[in-house]
Amino acid sequence: MRDLSTLPKVELHLHLEGTLEPETVLELARRNKVELPYADLEDLRGRYEFTDLQSFLDLIYANLTVLQTEEDFSDLVTAYVARAAAGGVRHVEAFFDPQPHVARGIPLQRVLDGLASGIASAERDHGTTVELIACFHRDRSEEEALAMLAALEEAGAPIIGIGLDSAEVGNPPAKFQRVYARAGELGLHRVAHAGEEGGAASVTEALDLLHIERVDHGIQAIDDPALMDRLARAGTPLTMCPLSNVRLRCVDTLADHPLPAFLEAGVLVTVNSDDPAYFGGYADTNYEALRATFGFSDEVMARLARNSVTASFLPEGRKTELLSEIDAWIAT
Ligand code: ADE
Ligand code: ZN
């Protein structure tokens, strides 16, 4: 069995705010004099038990208030990329959520400058490239998302696309049609969380109404054979996050995860980490957990890594380079 931390891979479902490790939360709270309701590290760690998506969102939104300065946003990126690169991640299309930062008074430009400076130094130090996707919170209004998209455009934000995250149930894709239409006019890539907690219909709606190019999670599509067929035929990528799905109780155990069924059905499945500081592992750990649970061969692991390259928004030349790095990994 080959070492999966050396398998070259692309991370396509990663929330930068979800990479804040508990130690860093407390360190930044001290540095920035932010009051948090935790007695100590042990108390904070004890809260990483989730019953569903919302119970996790409550914690991650409370913790991201420690991000205050440009340096904090820069450090967030460099710490994450150092860890990801050690696990074989060669390129990341990372989510960040501008709305909660701006809503608590952090200027958008500060967030963007911090992320950009972190990306530049991370690329220099590790050779791992990072592109940004701005995610809108689906439990906030479409008007607010439209205003944020305009602000991002005005700021010349270095983003390659938009996404949709936060509470899925009760906030269907249809609510954001105008935002996605505008993003299309701006030439941005479009992805959205769908079918995490929201059922197969949420995936179909996101494809039909938001014209998304990739589905984030999408595991509930397993309940709709016609949708499975559609995803396979169209080659629509799914960015799955197995350890996240277990921790948020979207599946009972990893052995119940539908990823193997999607592979079997010919769907372009990828493996990602979502919010690694909260769900027990970065990309390589998710790959390892799948191998340990399903007994996947090195060939299957390489196939999953190739899928991550194919599903990315990288230019063809870089895709070809990364695919040959994967060929070299399997050949040794
Ligand atoms: N924000 C961060 N991680 C998320 C997830 N898995 N689903 C929805 N919103 C999120
Ligand atoms: Zn996510």
Side-chain angles (χ1 to χ4, degrees):
M1 276 193 318
R2 290 169 177 77
D3 178 1
L4 293 174
S5 73
T6 62
L7 170 60
K9 54 182 82 63
V10 175
E11 168 76 80
L12 299 172
H13 188 152
L14 180 282
H15 300 264
L16 284 168
E17 292 89 348
T19 68
L20 262 185
E21 295 287 346
E23 294 79 1
T24 318
V25 170
L26 295 188
E27 188 187 311
L28 288 180
R30 250 190 320 272
R31 181 159 110 185
N32 294 325
K33 303 188 171 46
V34 174
E35 289 266 353
L36 289 176
Y38 317 129
D40 51 26
L41 185 59
E42 200 185 341
D43 176 18
L44 175 55
R45 279 190 195 285
R47 300 179 189 230
Y48 283 55
E49 276 290 329
F50 310 113
T51 50
D52 57 9
L53 176 58
Q54 191 59 52
S55 63
F56 152 72
L57 292 173
D58 292 343
L59 184 67
I60 188 176
Y61 296 156
N63 287 349
L64 60 73
T65 60
V66 301
L67 295 166
Q68 293 285 329
T69 66
E70 187 176 319
E71 186 189 7
D72 298 339
F73 286 93
S74 176
D75 291 351
L76 179 72
V77 176
T78 53
Y80 161 67
V81 175
R83 173 61 188 84
V89 173
R90 310 281 291 110
H91 174 67
V92 192
E93 293 174 2
F95 298 131
F96 73 110
D97 292 4
Q99 287 167 302
H101 303 306
V102 170
R104 65 193 169 84
I106 309 294
L108 179 62
Q109 197 62 52
R110 188 191 298 170
V111 177
L112 296 173
D113 289 347
L115 296 178
S117 110
I119 289 171
S121 84
E123 289 186 359
R124 238 182 358 254
D125 292 348
H126 304 285
T128 294
T129 47
V130 182
E131 296 285 4
L132 293 173
I133 296 176
C135 263
F136 300 110
H137 279 190
R138 63 203 310 154
D139 46 352
R140 294 172 181 259
S141 71
E142 186 183 40
E143 283 63 35
E144 193 188 309
L146 279 166
M148 178 54 76
L149 182 56
L152 289 162
E153 187 193 358
E154 165 94 18
I159 58 173
I160 59 162
I162 65 158
L164 195 59
D165 67 357
S166 200
E168 185 178 3
V169 175
N171 298 293
K175 186 175 160 185
F176 294 93
Q177 286 179 76
R178 289 183 299 157
V179 181
Y180 276 70
R182 179 69 190 133
E185 287 167 9
L186 294 172
L188 292 168
H189 290 293
R190 292 171 285 187
V191 303
H193 284 54
E196 180 184 18
E197 281 193 341
S202 170
V203 177
T204 303
E205 193 176 304
L207 291 169
D208 288 344
L209 302 184
L210 305 184
H211 308 289
I212 56 170
E213 297 156 80
R214 280 196 309 243
V215 182
D216 297 314
H217 292 295
I219 55 170
Q220 311 283 349
I222 197 72
D223 296 328
D224 181 344
L227 174 58
M228 292 294 284
D229 194 45
R230 172 182 180 177
L231 293 168
R233 281 174 195 275
T236 308
L238 268 57
T239 64
M240 291 193 176
C241 309
L243 292 176
S244 162
N245 296 148
V246 174
R247 292 293 290 274
L248 297 186
R249 309 208 187 163
C250 298
V251 297
D252 289 337
T253 70
L254 197 52
D256 300 306
H257 199 282
L259 183 141
F262 280 84
L263 271 182
E264 188 71 21
V267 176
L268 195 88
V269 175
T270 65
V271 177
N272 307 275
S273 56
D274 209 3
D275 302 277
Y278 291 83
F279 301 143
Y282 289 76
D284 54 323
T285 311
N286 276 270
Y287 276 69
E288 267 163 24
L290 287 174
R291 178 165 72 183
T293 302
F294 297 111
F296 287 154
S297 65
D298 288 344
E299 283 294 344
V300 173
M301 300 318 294
R303 176 177 163 197
L304 288 166
R306 285 192 192 98
N307 285 356
S308 74
V309 175
T310 306
S312 74
F313 297 131
L314 281 168
E316 287 310 315
R318 179 92 195 285
K319 284 189 181 182
T320 306
E321 272 171 33
L322 290 176
L323 290 171
S324 38
E325 287 184 26
I326 296 169
D327 291 343
W329 180 84
I330 198 80
T332 50

